[in-house]
Amino acid sequence: MSDFKDMGLEHKFVALGETQSVADGLKIEGYASYFGELDRGGDIVAKGAYAKSLAALAARGGQVKMLWQHDPAQPIGVWDAVREDARGLRVSGRILADVARGREAAALIAAGAIDGLSIGYRTLRATKDDKGRRLLNELELWEVSLVTFPMLPSARVGAKGESPEAETWRELAGAINDARQMLAPGD
């Protein structure tokens, strides 16, 4: 994280949405940011704050990175889609099963230990409102991480507990444990 801090990168957290097992890992989706909501850091992201950054990334063939806990040395998957909609910044991607930390992240999600998403960005344009809160008007989005603690209290995981997805989660956790045992050195 110190690498990002030295570059002026900031982070905002929200909870992970839907998940689904796919051939190469775990498909995840949710909102990495909500427009108009005050976060624990006293900031509010304005509608359209990501538009220029996403357009610039697309123009040069780049993509928003998927990291583990904002660590640039720990990419764990890929974001297949990152877009603004009426509510906020919607992301959809895959945690890769071929990446050790990705397998760990998938297991933690399945167990309910991790449910947060966090954005890593640089503020390009911001204003203060009459209450001293910062309105983020334009952001350069660098990455969206899976994290332990989401910053935005109103965001939560879509499916938990003994929902119809619970059996799928148990199967995924079992498959991950089986794969880990097969790959363990010295066995």
Side-chain angles (χ1 to χ4, degrees):
M1 270 179 36
S2 64
D3 293 337
F4 280 170
K5 192 173 187 181
D6 295 341
M7 293 185 277
L9 187 69
E10 299 179 53
H11 306 104
K12 296 292 174 199
F13 307 87
V14 297
L16 180 64
E18 300 298 318
T19 61
Q20 175 186 1
S21 183
V22 293
D24 59 349
L26 181 68
K27 181 179 179 188
I28 59 173
E29 60 184 41
Y31 282 90
S33 174
Y34 287 106
F35 298 135
E37 290 191 27
L38 181 66
D39 69 20
R40 292 182 181 137
D43 292 338
I44 301 169
V45 177
K47 286 184 180 181
Y50 304 100
K52 286 183 182 178
S53 178
L54 294 175
L57 269 173
R60 68 176 184 265
Q63 68 181 54
V64 174
K65 305 300 181 197
M66 181 190 290
L67 302 179
W68 176 251
Q69 305 282 358
H70 295 295
D71 185 344
Q74 295 190 59
I76 59 169
V78 294
W79 293 116
D80 298 316
V82 179
R83 65 178 178 81
E84 285 187 329
D85 67 13
R87 293 184 66 199
L89 185 68
R90 182 100 174 136
V91 296
S92 175
R94 295 166 285 131
I95 299 174
L96 300 177
D98 289 341
V99 175
R101 181 67 74 194
R103 289 189 301 275
E104 292 174 16
L108 290 167
I109 290 168
I114 295 287
D115 66 355
L117 292 174
S118 175
I119 58 174
Y121 63 93
R122 184 169 63 102
T123 302
L124 299 177
R125 195 169 42 90
T127 57
K128 293 271 185 178
D129 69 9
D130 58 349
K131 296 179 182 174
R133 300 176 298 197
R134 192 168 65 148
L135 180 62
L136 304 174
N137 296 299
E138 186 179 350
L139 301 173
E140 180 183 5
L141 183 63
W142 291 9
E143 55 94 8
V144 177
S145 285
L146 270 79
V147 297
T148 308
F149 299 106
M151 179 67 95
L152 202 57
S154 64
R156 294 291 169 240
V157 172
K160 280 183 162 178
E162 288 303 313
S163 66
E165 294 85 6
E167 182 60 29
T168 301
W169 286 115
R170 283 191 290 276
E171 289 172 9
L172 176 62
I176 290 168
N177 287 334
D178 291 347
R180 216 183 260 138
Q181 289 175 0
M182 288 174 49
L183 297 172
D187 286 348

